[in-house]
Structure formats: structure tokens, C-alpha cells
Amino acid sequence: MAIKIGIVGAGGMADYHIQGFRAGGAEVVAVADMSAEKGKAFAAEQGIPAVYTTLAEMLSGSELDAVSIITPNKFHKPLAIEALNAGVNVFCEKPPALSAAETEEMRQAATSAGKTLMFNFNNRARPEAYAMMKYISNGDVGKINSCQAVWMRRTGIPGFGGWFTTKELSGGGPVIDLLHMIDLGLYFMGYPEPEYVLAQTFDDFITDKAFKGPWGIPDVADGVTDVEAACHGFVKFKDGQVMTLRNSWAEMTKREEVSVTFQGQKAGGMVQRLFGIDGMDDTSIDACELYVQENGNSVNKDIIVERDESMGRIRSAQNFVLSLKGEEAPLNNIDEAVKLMKIIDAVYASAEQGIPIKIEA
């Protein structure tokens, strides 16, 4: 019998989730959106039989094995816990929640319910990441001593005054929104235990309309814009590994870059996407490279993989279904999510207080 999934939030990412769920052999049987009109239009477009305006209605009206949560960040925790308490597995968009404390509540709910809780850390599901992890898992890289996690934009503010720029709803700006490379770097490094974080945020350009991105949501004239535009930081781990991070929506750089570069004891490597002028276009460039010393020579190896314009979003959702069926190992887990959010909490705390922040276990 096919796994039955309900969608919470008929937003832009829902299409990727649905494609991935169906690729894994699941059925998408319901959608819930606070806008009944939007939900009905989305259901008709996607061929989804049932439409609701709340998760509670969907849980009582449809037989579900799992739900997919695609809402503003503030609602991730309460919706996930509501679904878990109802005995339903959860696939949640990033970030996990607004803080590590909220994510810990989600972990406790998943443990108590005995259900799976996974997150759409989709860059782990990119072909480049799959390929690189084979080298890391095989021991070709050795221990990764240092890593540089970058997602920087020149003009990429996702609207002004909407939920993205309202800290109460989003939890922050590009640090929490573009956390993917921090997560991917941690994934490559084996998710070590963080010890200290030092970071600085910048709010230059955060209200400058010239730095608005080509995607996001419409401006809200009387809305709130109280998040950072950019952040630079440093993380030291308990075993001596280190990571630098750079996240920005609006920063004076040449072009949008999404990358993880690392230096291991046996080899270095990089997974990178340089975006085009308007997101994904013919001028965007993908790279997956390994750096080694062979026969006294410095050798740079290109790892050739299929191009994935979805950046792993479809494959990530497919993995959720296949992991529920026991056919694949899950690409992420709640313990890693808690650790990631502790780092993000410490980034914001360090920037606010102007001091290094020690992360407690």
C-alpha cells in the first residue's frame, strides 16, 4: 500500500516536494492552506483530491502516513508537533524551527511518538553532494580539518516587509534562510560537536530596494524589516576542526555563490554553484572538484555528475519516502538539526553581544 502524504502550505516549494514524493512511490492525497482559494487552485493543478484550511482538519479528514510542512518558519515547530502527536511522520522545510530550543521540542515529540521527523536539507541530495560523500565515506579525504561554507548574494533580498524579513516570523535573515551550506559543510565533516562561535552581522542595504532579489514574496508597505543583510562567522569544534561561514542576501560581491570548500588530511574538495544573473540560467556554473597530491604533483580532479536544476529538492523529498519504506537511509536526522540550530543561535548571539559564544552540550 502506498504511503499517503498531505501537504501543509501550497507555496513555491510544494511542487518540488510533490514531485519527490511521487517519485518515491507515495500518494499526495490532501493539501491544507489557510487560503481556501489558493488551496483549491493548487489541488486542481496537482491532481490532489482533498483540500483543507488547517492541519487539524486535514488530520481528521484524511488518512495520512506523513505530512509535508511548507510554511513560514515560525509555524514549523507547532505544526510538526501537532502532526507527530497525531501519529504522523513529518517532512519539514528548512530551517527546522526558530531556535535550538524549539527544535529540541520537536525532537522530543518525534521520540515520544516513535515517528520520523526529517528536514528538507536538499543540498545533501544534489548529485555533487552524493558524489563527494562517496569519496569522504571511502576514506579518500581523511579527516576534514577546515571548511568554508558560503551562500552569498549581491542582490538577493526576498522582498521587504514580508515574513522573510520579519524576525518574529523567520528567526533571522540570510543566516537562517541560507543555512544549507552550513549544513552541507557539517555533513561532510561528520557533524562534529561545536564548541565556540564568533560572528558578526551587517545590516547595510537591508532596506535598499536596489538590492531586492528576483524571487521571494511581494513587498509589504507597512511590514517589518528587522533582520541582517549579511553575516561572517567562525566555528571551532571540540575535536579541533573549524568552519568559516559567509551568508548574505545583499553584499558587494561579484555574483551569487553557493559553495562548500574543505581541506582534509588526504585531499581537499569543493562543491559549488555560481548562479546566473537571474537565478538559474545559461550563465550559471556547477563544479564538483577534488584536490590531491599525486606523484609529486598537485592534481585537481573534476567530478562529473548530472546537472540538477532543482538543487536536490526533488531527490530530498524522494529520500524521505524511501526512508519511510526502509529502502534508503535517511539523508538527515533530528539530532543533526538540533546541533545545526545551536550553531545558528550562537551566531546571532555572538553578533549581538560582540563576543565568542560557547556552545553547551
Side-chain angles (χ1 to χ4, degrees), residues 28-255:
V28 180
V29 299
V31 61
D33 194 281
M34 61 184 298
S35 168
E37 183 178 341
K38 182 179 179 182
K40 289 177 182 177
F42 182 79
E45 176 185 318
Q46 294 286 345
I48 300 172
V51 182
Y52 305 92
T53 56
T54 68
L55 172 59
E57 291 175 356
M58 187 168 71
L59 289 170
S60 63
S62 293
E63 183 180 339
L64 299 173
D65 299 298
V67 298
S68 175
I69 297 173
I70 314 167
T71 65
N73 305 342
K74 179 179 180 179
F75 306 108
H76 289 182
K77 184 200 81 170
L79 290 171
I81 291 176
E82 182 180 356
L84 291 164
N85 287 345
V88 175
N89 301 291
V90 174
F91 185 69
C92 184
E93 261 299 332
K94 59 80 188 171
L98 297 184
S99 66
E102 287 194 355
T103 311
E104 177 60 38
E105 290 182 54
M106 296 163 77
R107 172 163 62 182
Q108 293 175 9
T111 301
S112 296
K115 293 297 177 180
T116 296
L117 172 59
M118 289 175 60
F119 302 94
N120 192 25
F121 297 144
N122 56 275
N123 281 269
R124 298 194 192 191
R126 288 168 58 187
E128 296 90 343
Y130 270 113
M132 188 61 75
M133 276 302 295
K134 288 184 179 179
Y135 288 93
I136 295 171
S137 300
N138 288 342
D140 296 320
V141 170
K143 179 182 178 181
I144 294 176
N145 292 327
S146 52
C147 172
Q148 299 79 51
V150 174
W151 194 322
M152 57 186 186
R153 293 175 176 159
R154 183 166 177 169
T155 54
I157 299 174
F160 300 88
W163 74 261
F164 275 104
T165 65
T166 304
K167 189 171 184 178
E168 181 183 359
L169 296 174
S170 64
V175 174
I176 198 167
D177 179 42
L178 305 178
L179 53 69
H180 288 288
M181 293 302 104
I182 302 172
D183 170 70
L184 186 61
L186 292 167
Y187 181 54
F188 287 161
M189 298 172 82
Y191 251 87
E193 290 290 336
E195 184 175 21
Y196 285 97
V197 172
L198 177 64
Q200 181 64 52
T201 57
F202 302 89
D203 60 7
D204 305 86
F205 319 125
I206 194 59
T207 59
D208 190 334
K209 298 299 177 65
F211 288 84
K212 183 175 180 177
W215 65 276
I217 58 178
D219 296 343
V220 178
D222 58 349
V224 176
T225 298
D226 62 352
V227 297
E228 77 280 3
C231 178
H232 294 245
F234 179 85
V235 185
K236 179 184 179 296
F237 299 92
K238 291 181 180 179
D239 63 358
Q241 293 169 284
V242 296
M243 169 188 283
T244 58
L245 61 94
R246 178 183 177 186
N247 285 38
S248 60
W249 283 340
E251 195 171 33
M252 293 301 190
T253 189
K254 185 174 182 178
R255 66 191 295 180

Side-chain angles (χ1 to χ4, degrees), residues 270-338:
M270 179 181 70
V271 170
Q272 180 188 67
R273 168 163 286 178
L274 298 176
F275 275 91
I277 297 169
D278 187 12
M280 172 60 70
D281 64 22
D282 290 340
T283 69
S284 61
I285 302 169
D286 289 344
C288 186
E289 300 173 348
L290 205 66
Y291 313 127
V292 298
Q293 293 299 116
E294 293 180 348
N295 301 319
N297 299 311
S298 297
V299 179
N300 303 334
K301 299 182 177 182
D302 288 328
I303 304 171
I304 309 301
V305 298
E306 286 187 24
R307 185 175 175 84
D308 178 10
E309 295 192 10
S310 80
M311 292 186 72
R313 295 184 181 102
I314 296 171
R315 185 67 181 88
S316 177
Q318 181 186 25
N319 171 257
F320 172 69
V321 173
L322 295 178
S323 67
L324 291 181
K325 295 164 71 173
E327 296 176 11
E328 280 190 358
L331 278 173
N332 63 79
N333 61 63
I334 183 63
D335 294 337
E336 294 168 344
V338 171

